[in-house]
């Protein structure tokens, strides 16, 4: 399966170039659910792809499901509340661990001792991240087991419609927007199974959603704190990669200490930086082509993903 992760597409799109590199010339199924109520405003994206598109309208379909199935709507809201509660507890612990790691990194101590203590700092954050991912996965698994949404009438009807639309498509394009809303709708309709082996082109929040874990980040936020947070597991179409799109607005790439923390914290996964007009193409889990994408290294260096 071919999967391309891309940077933001709104003002300077490059998905057509990535599609050409992947050998895709046919029709695209568009997933713009992260745009929420604006998901049908896809004229520019469709034009960029030569008009060969059909919008799967996942956000609109989810609204229909929840209007039609009150029981599922109530259970879904309860599940989302539990996710928010878990995220809150996780964030409180995470902020303290990251702040202590920053303090320890600037202590005066023998080099060997300081390196050991810094490693313990990173390991503590890793343990917390893994615990949070397990908690989120447990909540999602319990919800699926109790409610089996794919077998419920209205979800099943929409899923059959989605399968029919996908039959005429050669590839799938997943746009950005609100990452949690996008992920939830992809999972509500079991879109991963419907995609099959079709090439996938995903950018911004879409790129985050198709990886194994979604990381929310902003090194200089207009409000709140700058602690990168694991949100929950993603779709896992790309393994061992943490997608970091739109670095122009969200990453302090010139801060080697901060970049090193990203790389060390999420290792052995690769932190993939995706600026505007960037893309990196994976096939069978390996990088087979890229443009302007970057990776973060454990020493804080930023490099080409294809560099040895």
């Amino acid at each position: 399966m071919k999967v391309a992760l891309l940077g933001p597409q709104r003002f300077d799109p490059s998905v057509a170039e990535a599609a050409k590199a992947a050998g895709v010339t046919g029709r695209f199924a568009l997933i713009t659910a992260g745009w929420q109520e604006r998901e049908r405003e896809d004229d520019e994206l469709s034009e960029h792809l030569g008009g060969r598109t059909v919008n799967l309208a996942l956000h609109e379909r989810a609204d229909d499901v929840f209007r039609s199935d009150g029981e599922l709507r109530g259970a879904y809201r309860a599940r989302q509340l539990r996710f928010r509660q878990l995220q809150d507890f996780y964030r409180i612990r995470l902020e303290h661990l990251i702040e202590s790691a920053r303090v320890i990194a600037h202590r005066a101590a023998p080099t060997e001792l300081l390196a050991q203590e810094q490693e313990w700092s990173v390991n503590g954050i890793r343990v917390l991240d893994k615990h949070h991912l397990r908690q989120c996965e447990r909540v999602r698994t319990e919800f699926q087991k109790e409610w089996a949404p794919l077998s419920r009438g209205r979800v099943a009807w929409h899923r059959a419609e989605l399968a029919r639309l996908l039959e005429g498509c050669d590839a799938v394009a997943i746009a950005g927007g609100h990452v949690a809303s996008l992920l939830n709708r992809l999972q509500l309709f079991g879109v991963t199974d419907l995609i099959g082996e079709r090439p996938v082109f995903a950018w911004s929040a879409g790129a985050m959603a198709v990886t194994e874990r979604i990381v929310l980040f902003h090194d200089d936020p207009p409000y709140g704190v700058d602690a990168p947070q694991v949100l929950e597991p993603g779709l896992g179409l790309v393994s061992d990669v943490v997608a970091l799109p739109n670095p122009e607005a969200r990453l302090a790439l010139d801060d080697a200490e901060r970049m090193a923390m990203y790389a060390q914290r999420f290792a052995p996964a690769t932190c993939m930086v995706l600026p505007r007009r960037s893309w990196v193409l994976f096939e069978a889990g390996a990088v087979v082509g890229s443009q302007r994408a970057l990776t973060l290294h454990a020493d804080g260096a930023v490099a080409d993903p294809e560099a040895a």
Side-chain angles (χ1 to χ4, degrees):
M1 182 180 188
K2 294 179 180 178
V3 180
L5 306 182
L6 303 97
Q9 297 293 299
R10 184 177 180 185
F11 298 112
D12 196 7
S14 58
V15 63
E17 295 177 25
K20 182 178 180 180
V24 174
T25 58
R27 193 169 178 82
F28 279 82
L30 302 184
I31 297 175
T32 56
W35 299 353
Q36 300 178 310
E37 290 79 10
R38 295 177 44 252
E39 76 173 337
R40 291 284 192 175
E41 299 176 17
D42 62 5
D43 290 350
E44 291 183 4
L45 175 57
S46 182
E47 182 180 357
H48 176 68
L49 293 172
R52 309 182 312 274
T53 65
V54 57
N55 197 313
L56 299 186
L58 297 188
H59 191 272
E60 183 179 300
R61 293 177 188 277
D63 283 350
D64 177 67
V65 167
F66 294 137
R67 281 194 302 268
S68 305
D69 191 335
E71 285 187 338
L72 183 62
R73 180 178 67 246
Y76 183 85
R77 287 177 174 173
R79 189 199 71 171
Q80 293 307 108
L81 175 59
R82 178 57 59 89
F83 277 141
R84 289 193 293 272
Q85 291 169 335
L86 289 174
Q87 197 72 25
D88 187 48
F89 288 128
Y90 162 73
R91 178 184 52 79
I92 291 169
R93 294 187 175 100
L94 178 66
E95 288 174 9
H96 287 285
L97 285 175
I98 287 181
E99 180 58 28
S100 67
R102 288 173 178 167
V103 172
I104 287 171
H106 292 92
R107 284 292 197 190
T111 301
E112 183 178 354
L113 175 59
L114 186 58
Q116 291 174 353
E117 294 302 321
Q118 287 178 308
E119 184 176 355
W120 274 106
S121 295
V122 174
N123 285 340
I125 298 171
R126 285 177 177 169
V127 169
L128 179 61
D129 288 344
K130 290 178 181 177
H131 169 73
H132 180 62
L133 286 171
R134 285 194 299 268
Q135 290 282 81
C136 291
E137 187 62 38
R138 178 179 57 80
V139 170
R140 194 173 291 279
T141 298
E142 289 176 355
F143 177 82
Q144 294 289 339
K145 182 178 180 180
E146 181 174 359
W147 291 96
L150 294 184
S151 66
R152 298 181 75 87
R154 201 59 183 164
V155 175
W157 184 88
H158 279 292
R159 200 161 186 267
E161 283 290 293
L162 291 169
R164 181 182 62 80
L165 291 174
L166 280 163
E167 283 180 1
C169 296
D170 301 294
V172 177
I174 306 177
H178 191 288
V179 66
S181 181
L182 172 61
L183 178 67
N184 287 336
R185 279 142 187 81
L186 287 165
Q187 293 179 326
L188 175 64
F189 296 108
V191 173
T192 300
D193 290 338
L194 296 177
I195 289 173
E197 292 300 310
R198 292 176 179 84
V200 173
F201 300 83
W203 58 91
S204 298
M208 297 162 71
V210 302
T211 61
E212 289 178 310
R213 55 185 160 185
I214 297 170
V215 176
L216 307 179
F217 64 99
H218 201 311
D219 289 345
D220 187 21
Y223 55 88
V225 296
D226 61 355
Q229 301 177 47
V230 171
L231 180 63
E232 59 179 289
L235 299 181
L237 300 184
V238 177
S239 301
D240 296 323
V241 170
V242 172
L244 302 173
N246 197 16
E248 296 92 340
R250 293 177 174 272
L251 276 182
L253 291 175
D254 57 349
D255 187 336
E257 180 180 314
R258 190 181 290 266
M259 296 305 101
M261 175 58 80
Y262 277 99
Q264 294 169 21
R265 173 181 172 183
F266 298 116
T270 298
C271 288
M272 190 73 66
V273 179
L274 301 166
R276 288 188 295 272
R277 294 204 59 75
S278 70
W279 53 266
V280 56
L281 179 63
F282 296 86
E283 186 169 8
V287 175
V288 294
S290 68
Q291 172 180 283
R292 298 195 70 224
L294 302 167
T295 59
L296 303 182
H297 291 218
D299 60 357
V302 183
D304 187 307
E306 294 186 286

